[in-house]
Amino acid sequence: MAGWGAAEKQDKEGQTRSAAIPVTFAGTVGLFTPAVASSRDTAVLFLSPWGFEEMCVRKFWRILAEDLADIGISSLRFDYAGTGDALDIADKGNGLTPWQETALAAAAKLRALSGCERLILVSQGLGGTIAATLAEHLSNIDGIAFLAPVISGRAYLRELTVWSKMIDESMGLAEAQRQTEGVTVASLRMPDSAADAVRKLNLMTLDRIAAPNCLVLARPGRPGDADFARHLETLGPHVEQSAYEGYDDLVSNPTIAIMPTAAGRKIIAWVQSIAARPGTAASAGLVSPVAEPLAGDGFQETPLRFGTGNRLFGILCEPEGARTGATALLLTTAYDRHAGWGRMSVIMARALARDGIASLRFDTANVGDSPPLSGAPEQVLYSREQHRDVEEALTLLEQRNLLPAYIVGRCSGGYLAFQAALRDARCSGLITVNPYSFHWDESRSVDEALRFAPRSLETYGRKLLQMETLKRLFSGQIDAKSAILNMATGIGRRAARAGRRLLGAFPIFAAAQGPVLGGFRTLAKRGVDMSLIYSAHDIGLDHLHDQFGENGAGLKHFPDIRLTIIPEADHNLTPPYARKVYLREVREMGMRLANR
């Protein structure tokens, strides 16, 4: 059986994997991972969950696909219509039909690409419902894996409501800022007709399952999962049931998600046990497919691989007509996939294209669909290794005559944008949104900082005045020790700023230059167009004040830097008006750089 995780294999072989091969079909983007060992006459089709859960599972799917390839099994993963990188569709009241039709097209595409007639479906969450329906319309389905299946649609929608509130709370969103219309989680809204269809779902009413083998990974504390496994047994297939170890850690937050190692090994072993022996299929010998651009309203998008050994995956979005602006390089935030939080990057890229501005959004190494870089640390955030990824992205744009280019990033992506701009003179502009910091102390633990990320003092003060916060504090749901430590750190930081203002009266202290101020001076001398955007109470604004004084007074020495403060917005820019401000800044910089 394949070892768990690609990084282990790369260290032994000393080389980095190529990203999966992008393909387009039925208005969507798929990623085909061909078998690298002697091919079996079976391929795996991944059927994703929806929304926030899909963001969390994205990297897990890639690792599974790579391990399947190592045992001779090709696979395809894809976005449902209107989700991820797929073209948008109007909600015409068709329920889940558009997603089911995308899955049918994906199955046909996988068979054509792999040469395999036999398929195994690996699903999670709402993808289990799609899998059960798909099997009814296809022949030669050897097995279905149900990972954390949605058994009762009504219960699932109730769970999403709770999930949505927890996510919004973690971002510090006030109730008035939350998006509560319809079924909305992490700024992603399920089409109303799809939600209506989900509400009627009940997998316990299935009267047949068109697959001889099933695997059910049951979530801890959800007895309904085990009940579903027993129900499947009454329908005739051979059913294996196992605990979905690590499920909660996987879906809690894509930034700190831990890959479920034991569950991954179980899935690989189960697939290997039922996959057909080597047959006539030989995916390694098939002609590598070419992804045709997807044409939308005023734009066309081309999924592609680039970088050394095609190790990185991204989407190039270009105007339907002539280019009239510079090219935006849209970086990912933390471990969110390149589509962005709430599809923010997808929506922005297409809007920019309609204004004549091209863009490239991509996953850095070990994020989403880009494999890890051999020899790089497992934790890539705030790592020097990510600078190579941005360099290779700029090289791609240069090779395609898409310069000048400017880099756009939020949070950790904002930090990376600043650092990459310092290192690469091909960067003509820079937009950072709510960067936690512009300089990272490499002796500091990134993992610890991500798990206990502080908020601004204003945010803590506002939350403490809310009755709900007090209830959670006294019930132990809030880590009071970390919150108090973070508040003390914030108070200390402000005291230090006040001290620096006094010391600034003495030339010896006023002349002191840190790496951040030095970096800004370097960019200013190079004539790099710079825009800083912050939510009014974001913790990153405190760090800006550390460098430039209260209210960023020191920025007056950099007259070409634009500072934009968005009132009543969270770190992720959830309110629609906040995203409009963001888009406006990105659009205006693209136009300015083109006219230089």
Side-chain angles (χ1 to χ4, degrees):
M1 191 182 88
W4 175 252
E8 188 177 294
K9 187 176 184 65
Q10 289 163 351
D11 288 341
K12 292 177 182 177
E13 297 180 355
Q15 62 183 15
T16 299
R17 280 186 186 267
S18 297
I21 301 170
V23 294
T24 51
F25 57 92
T28 193
V29 175
L31 288 165
F32 174 61
T33 305
V36 295
S38 178
S39 179
R40 294 168 179 250
D41 190 19
T42 304
V44 166
L45 181 65
F46 288 94
L47 296 161
S48 296
W50 175 81
F52 183 76
E53 189 177 3
E54 187 275 335
M55 291 172 60
C56 296
V57 168
R58 190 79 179 186
K59 180 177 175 179
F60 184 38
W61 263 196
R62 173 182 58 76
I63 294 173
L64 286 175
E66 291 167 350
D67 277 1
L68 287 170
D70 290 342
I71 60 172
I73 297 175
S74 301
S75 66
L76 179 71
R77 51 197 196 272
F78 66 97
D79 291 326
Y80 301 121
T83 72
D85 293 314
L87 295 177
D88 295 311
I89 58 171
D91 186 2
K92 297 181 179 180
N94 295 324
L96 295 175
T97 300
W99 295 354
Q100 293 163 349
E101 290 175 345
T102 312
L104 276 170
K109 191 70 173 180
L110 175 56
R111 282 172 166 163
L113 291 170
S114 64
C116 299
E117 279 301 311
R118 314 202 71 82
L119 299 180
I120 294 173
L121 310 180
V122 174
S123 67
Q124 174 149 329
L126 202 53
T129 298
I130 306 295
T133 303
L134 189 63
E136 292 290 329
H137 294 86
L138 295 172
S139 59
N140 297 324
I141 300 297
D142 286 348
I144 304 176
F146 294 94
L147 283 56
V150 172
I151 299 166
S152 164
R154 288 185 179 277
Y156 171 67
L157 294 180
R158 286 195 299 270
E159 185 178 327
L160 286 183
T161 300
V162 175
W163 211 344
S164 177
K165 189 165 186 177
M166 290 174 59
I167 293 168
D168 290 348
E169 164 65 25
S170 71
M171 295 190 300
L173 273 174
E175 190 63 29
Q177 296 171 323
R178 297 187 61 227
Q179 295 176 311
T180 56
E181 60 278 1
V183 177
T184 304
V185 181
S187 297
L188 292 165
R189 180 170 178 176
M190 184 182 292
D192 291 341
S193 68
D196 289 340
V198 169
R199 192 170 287 107
K200 301 170 186 174
L201 293 176
N202 186 350
L203 290 185
M204 296 299 286
T205 64
L206 281 177
D207 57 6
R208 66 185 301 268
I209 190 78
N213 299 282
C214 290
L215 170 68
V216 177
L217 292 193
R219 295 162 291 180
R222 274 83 159 189
D225 292 3
D227 292 340
F228 175 60
R230 287 190 288 272
H231 177 66
L232 285 176
E233 289 176 342
T234 68
L235 303 181
H238 173 70
V239 179
E240 289 188 40
Q241 181 189 331
S242 185
Y244 197 158
E245 298 177 43
Y247 170 81
D248 290 328
D249 287 334
L250 174 65
V251 302
S252 63
N253 185 336
T255 300
I256 57 175
I258 300 172
M259 295 300 103
T261 303
R265 289 198 181 105
K266 177 65 180 177
I267 295 163
I268 297 297
W270 176 77
V271 170
Q272 188 173 26
S273 71
I274 64 174
R277 295 295 112 189
T280 57
S283 60
L286 298 179
V287 177
S288 183
V290 176
E292 297 295 332
L294 292 178
D297 177 19
F299 67 87
Q300 68 171 18
E301 292 191 331
T302 306
L304 42 75
R305 300 185 295 174
F306 63 95
T308 306
N310 283 330
R311 67 184 184 87
L312 299 168
F313 171 73
I315 304 285
L316 180 63
C317 183
E318 298 176 278
E320 189 176 48
R323 287 174 54 228
T324 58
T327 301
L329 187 58
L330 307 178
L331 303 184
T332 54
T333 297
Y335 287 96
D336 295 350
R337 58 175 292 195
H338 56 271
W341 182 269
R343 293 183 84 206
M344 187 188 298
S345 294
V346 173
I347 295 167
M348 174 176 285
R350 294 171 182 178
L352 291 173
R354 284 189 280 270
D355 288 326
I357 298 173
S359 65
L360 173 67
R361 58 185 188 271
F362 74 103
D363 291 333
T364 53
N366 206 22
V367 173
D369 295 312
S370 292
L373 185 64
S374 180
E378 178 67 20
Q379 175 56 270
V380 298
L381 301 185
Y382 300 99
S383 164
R384 293 170 182 247
E385 303 298 337
Q386 285 195 316
H387 303 154
R388 284 201 249 176
D389 303 337
V390 180
E391 180 183 344
E392 300 219 63
L394 286 167
T395 297
L396 171 70
L397 296 182
E398 184 176 27
Q399 291 170 344
R400 289 180 171 247
N401 296 316
L402 289 172
L403 296 181
Y406 58 112
I407 308 179
V408 182
R410 181 178 62 80
C411 191
S412 62
Y415 163 84
L416 178 59
F418 178 77
Q419 294 294 327
L422 279 174
R423 288 166 171 76
D424 201 314
R426 291 173 296 182
C427 173
S428 300
L430 166 68
I431 297 178
T432 67
V433 183
N434 288 332
Y436 179 70
S437 177
F438 292 104
H439 173 73
W440 188 262
D441 179 357
E442 295 185 3
S443 66
R444 186 181 179 192
S445 168
V446 176
D447 291 322
E448 183 176 332
L450 292 174
R451 287 191 177 277
F452 304 106
R455 298 175 180 176
S456 69
L457 288 176
E458 288 81 6
T459 300
Y460 280 121
R462 188 172 65 247
K463 299 300 289 183
L464 282 173
L465 294 176
Q466 296 176 2
M467 184 60 67
E468 182 67 23
T469 302
L470 294 174
K471 289 179 181 177
R472 294 179 65 228
L473 182 64
F474 289 123
S475 66
Q477 297 178 45
I478 292 177
D479 187 342
K481 182 179 179 181
S482 295
I484 292 171
L485 179 61
N486 288 336
M487 284 190 285
T489 300
I491 293 170
R493 184 185 296 119
R494 294 196 176 185
R497 284 206 299 268
R500 281 200 297 273
R501 285 201 301 275
L502 293 175
L503 291 174
F506 299 93
I508 187 173
F509 292 107
Q513 295 183 18
V516 175
L517 290 177
F520 273 97
R521 288 191 176 99
T522 297
L523 293 173
K525 287 179 182 178
R526 251 181 40 213
V528 175
D529 196 337
M530 289 182 277
S531 177
L532 314 180
I533 303 174
Y534 288 92
S535 300
H537 302 300
D538 193 80
I539 184 62
L541 202 52
D542 274 4
H543 289 265
L544 182 75
H545 294 164
D546 287 347
Q547 298 295 331
F548 295 101
E550 290 296 335
N551 300 316
L555 286 173
K556 66 184 179 183
H557 299 297
F558 300 91
D560 294 330
I561 295 181
R562 282 167 308 287
L563 174 62
T564 302
I565 308 296
I566 306 177
E568 299 304 321
D570 64 303
H571 185 71
N572 287 356
L573 304 186
T574 297
Y577 68 83
R579 299 191 178 195
K580 287 180 180 178
V581 172
Y582 184 18
L583 174 59
R584 184 188 66 219
E585 284 292 312
V586 177
R587 179 191 291 118
E588 289 180 355
M589 181 173 287
M591 294 303 183
R592 278 197 308 273
L593 291 175
N595 294 324
R596 278 189 176 183

